[in-house]
Amino acid sequence: MMIRKRLAQLRQGVKTPEQFARTMASEAKMRMGLPTLRSLELASTWVCNLACEFCYAEDLMSARHKPAPIAVDTVRELLCQARALGLIHVNVTGGEPFTRKDLFELLDAVPKDVVVSIVTNSILLNEERVDRLKDAGVSTIQMSYGANYDRHFKLELARRAVRRGLSVTLSVVNILCERKWVLEALEMAPREGFSVLFNYPMRYKNEGLDSEVYWQYRYEPYVREDNLFWSGKDRCPAGTTKIYVTNDGDVMTCDRIHGSFGNIHAEPLEPIWRRMVERFKGMKTFCLLETCPKQWAENNRRAGKDYDVRHIGTDKDPFNVFIGTEVEKDLMPVSKPAAPIGSGAGATE
């Protein structure tokens, strides 16, 4: 089952021979135990045209008064540095990426042998933009699916994307109040040729993981989950093979844990990432987000693991589970610039 799942995720993401060759080289390096940065989540803007419940970026977005989206030149340099560290995938997120007038210029800054996916709430998506995403070399459109997005999800656009050779992923949050939508996505995906991305939830405005549905479907080949691919094993990749860079340049372990380990405007990416690798290479966990000992034990049992409960996060800050743990001493202040960082990217359309 694990092999089938990994092959399915490889087919969904990798679209060109150059991407395949780079991904296979990364796999070999990882199997040899050599540190390699495989995936980078990039917050391309803090601007969003929705205000969703349990938004992962709510605290970062609300702390800023619509600073300019990160400059394309900054992104180009960031990805050049990340590629030298082994990058094989970048996920463009936000905010809502399509609020950027120069989004396609940003996508052109991604090296062509690197897999690129984009997250959207679908409000600003249309046929022309689906076609332009394909022409820009995007591999996957990750369409948010759930109660917050019911009025905005556009099935015909998703079908058009598949016809154009793009992969479509329905992105869901695995919490009980979203179960109806999660089950709908799971029923729709194999019928339409989509995949479903399981997002492990932070404990913010919800009671945590819907464990029943999560574990029932987790190993289905059409169900994606990052710690089954980017880490190469059933463990959390955050801070080692996968990182998150915010619109302000802060480097974090993932998009749901907002503790900064450095800023790309203050120093190159490599020393920041290597500090993170040293910190997290020994912190083997199913998911760094988890703060519930009962759920931690269940995850260990179901995954056949024995991850140390000392690596569990705390519930002192839902956006930063490192507060109150030994990791806290390694954190740096999250950037709160007096003026917008970067230049060029316009406001909303």
Side-chain angles (χ1 to χ4, degrees), residues 3-17:
I3 294 175
R4 287 177 57 213
K5 185 177 178 70
R6 286 179 60 76
L7 289 174
Q9 295 196 64
L10 185 66
R11 288 193 297 268
Q12 290 161 12
V14 173
K15 300 296 186 181
T16 69

Side-chain angles (χ1 to χ4, degrees), residues 35 239-241 272-282:
T240 53
T241 58
I272 302 173
W273 173 67
R274 292 200 181 278
R275 286 199 301 268
M276 297 171 76
V277 171
E278 284 302 308
R279 158 47 70 186
F280 292 104
K281 66 182 181 181

Side-chain angles (χ1 to χ4, degrees), residues 46-332:
W46 290 141
V47 176
C48 192
N49 44 14
L50 285 180
C52 300
E53 287 286 308
F54 50 81
C55 174
Y56 293 157
E58 179 181 313
D59 65 323
L60 296 174
M61 294 167 63
S62 62
R64 290 149 177 81
H65 184 63
K66 292 187 178 179
I70 189 169
V72 170
D73 285 345
T74 302
V75 172
R76 184 178 290 107
E77 174 59 25
L78 167 66
L79 296 180
C80 179
Q81 294 181 32
R83 186 180 181 280
L85 299 174
L87 187 72
I88 60 174
H89 168 255
V90 59
N91 188 40
V92 179
T93 180
E96 168 54 46
F98 280 98
T99 62
R100 289 189 66 132
K101 291 182 178 179
D102 64 348
L103 174 62
F104 291 95
E105 184 181 347
L106 182 147
L107 294 174
D108 284 340
V110 181
K112 297 308 178 186
D113 59 353
V114 170
V115 175
V116 57
S117 55
I118 189 167
V119 180
T120 181
N121 58 31
S122 300
I123 292 176
L124 297 175
L125 196 62
N126 56 36
E127 291 186 356
E128 178 189 1
R129 286 177 171 169
V130 168
D131 294 344
R132 289 187 68 187
L133 289 175
K134 172 62 176 178
D135 295 340
V138 170
S139 164
T140 302
I141 305 178
Q142 187 174 306
M143 304 174 79
S144 299
Y145 195 84
N148 293 323
Y149 314 103
D150 182 39
R151 293 182 295 112
H152 310 300
F153 176 73
K154 301 167 183 176
L155 179 57
E156 285 308 312
L157 288 182
R159 288 170 171 167
R160 182 183 183 89
V162 171
R163 290 195 299 270
R164 288 299 316 274
L166 289 158
S167 295
V168 169
T169 292
L170 307 179
S171 180
V172 299
V173 181
N174 297 85
I175 53 179
L176 188 59
C177 66
E178 288 285 298
R179 178 180 284 190
K180 169 183 179 291
W181 308 102
V182 174
L183 292 176
E184 279 188 10
L186 290 166
E187 188 276 331
M188 184 193 311
R191 184 185 71 231
E192 299 286 349
F194 306 157
S195 61
V196 177
L197 178 66
F198 272 9
N199 287 289
Y200 202 95
M202 55 187 289
R203 290 177 180 268
Y204 178 61
K205 298 182 180 179
N206 66 76
E207 296 182 355
L209 184 69
D210 181 0
S211 192
E212 180 182 347
V213 170
Y214 177 81
W215 283 106
Q216 181 179 351
Y217 291 94
R218 183 173 185 257
Y219 292 109
E220 291 292 333
Y222 63 91
V223 173
R224 289 178 46 204
E225 192 173 23
D226 289 334
N227 62 346
L228 271 178
F229 188 75
W230 302 118
S231 68
K233 54 197 74 173
D234 227 359
R235 60 166 287 189
C236 186
T240 53
T241 58
K242 184 176 182 181
I243 61 173
Y244 172 54
V245 179
T246 75
N247 182 60
D248 303 295
D250 285 310
V251 183
M252 302 178 174
T253 56
C254 82
D255 54 2
R256 281 154 276 183
I257 303 177
H258 299 160
S260 177
F261 291 83
N263 189 286
I264 61 170
H265 297 286
E267 61 181 320
L269 178 63
E270 181 172 4
I272 302 173
W273 173 67
R274 292 200 181 278
R275 286 199 301 268
M276 297 171 76
V277 171
E278 284 302 308
R279 158 47 70 186
F280 292 104
K281 66 182 181 181
M283 284 187 65
K284 296 180 179 180
T285 71
F286 188 76
C287 181
L288 283 172
L289 274 172
E290 191 53 70
T291 60
C292 174
K294 182 179 179 181
Q295 188 63 58
W296 182 282
E298 181 176 358
N299 291 346
N300 269 350
R301 177 178 61 81
R302 289 182 177 267
K305 303 296 182 181
D306 188 25
Y307 291 142
D308 195 332
V309 74
R310 290 177 300 175
H311 296 158
I312 199 169
T314 72
D315 57 5
K316 295 182 179 180
D317 180 351
F319 292 102
N320 189 352
V321 298
F322 297 144
I323 300 299
T325 73
E326 64 171 15
V327 178
E328 184 177 6
K329 67 179 183 297
D330 297 325
L331 300 180
M332 298 183 180

Side-chain angles (χ1 to χ4, degrees), residues 27-57:
E27 287 282 319
K29 186 176 179 181
M30 185 179 61
R31 299 299 171 187
M32 290 187 290
L34 301 175
T36 180
L37 175 61
R38 291 165 61 82
S39 180
L40 188 152
E41 296 263 357
L42 174 67
S44 60
T45 179
W46 290 141
V47 176
C48 192
N49 44 14
L50 285 180
C52 300
E53 287 286 308
F54 50 81
C55 174
Y56 293 157

